[in-house]
Amino acid sequence: MRPKILLVDDTPANLVALRRLLADSGADLYEATSGNAALALCLEHKFALVLLDVAMPDMDGFEVARLLGEAEAQKDTPIIFVTAAFVDEAHRLEGYRAGAVDYITKPVADAVL
């Protein structure tokens, strides 16, 4: 069974860029353009990894990460924040407190991802 990766970003161009970077990963890629859509997908699938934007209109990535951490089925799923807006140390620490295993900035270098 192939691993599943969830890509969450409210900007479609960012999802396209992530999809290109992960095209040869051997994983099935799923996309969500909002926190609510990401949470709904997490009710249906067990993901090996979530790449999560921070700044989104319906709820920010920190809240999504906290909610995923409370869900029994997803609590051990690694979350990597991918952001262009919140690159300072305070936000990075908030990301780790919310449950992230890493916090990377856009544009994402393929070697980093």
Side-chain angles (χ1 to χ4, degrees), residues 41-43 45-47 50 68-69 71-78:
L41 281 170
C42 287
L43 292 174
H45 304 278
K46 174 65 176 150
F47 291 102
V50 176
L68 288 177
E72 188 63 32
Q74 299 292 341
K75 71 178 184 177
D76 295 325
T77 303

Side-chain angles (χ1 to χ4, degrees), residues 1 23 26 36 40 48 61 66 75-76 79 88 92 98 103-104 109 113:
M1 187 158 96
N36 285 322
R66 283 189 283 275
K75 71 178 184 177
D76 295 325
I79 297 170
D88 59 273
R92 183 179 303 271
Y103 196 100
I104 58 179
L113 189 57

Side-chain angles (χ1 to χ4, degrees), residues 5-85:
I5 299 175
L6 177 58
L7 313 174
V8 186
D9 199 302
D10 61 314
T11 304
N14 291 338
L15 291 172
V16 169
L18 288 171
R19 184 173 277 287
R20 283 187 186 141
L21 286 173
L22 295 168
D24 295 330
S25 68
D28 291 329
L29 305 177
Y30 292 74
E31 297 178 3
T33 57
S34 70
N36 285 322
L39 294 172
L41 281 170
C42 287
L43 292 174
E44 300 173 25
H45 304 278
K46 174 65 176 150
F47 291 102
L49 175 66
V50 176
L51 297 177
L52 181 58
D53 187 24
V54 175
M56 295 184 291
D58 62 338
M59 73 176 75
D60 67 28
F62 300 133
E63 184 176 355
V64 174
R66 283 189 283 275
L67 290 169
L68 288 177
E70 294 171 5
E72 188 63 32
Q74 299 292 341
K75 71 178 184 177
D76 295 325
T77 303
I79 297 170
I80 298 175
F81 281 110
V82 182
T83 187

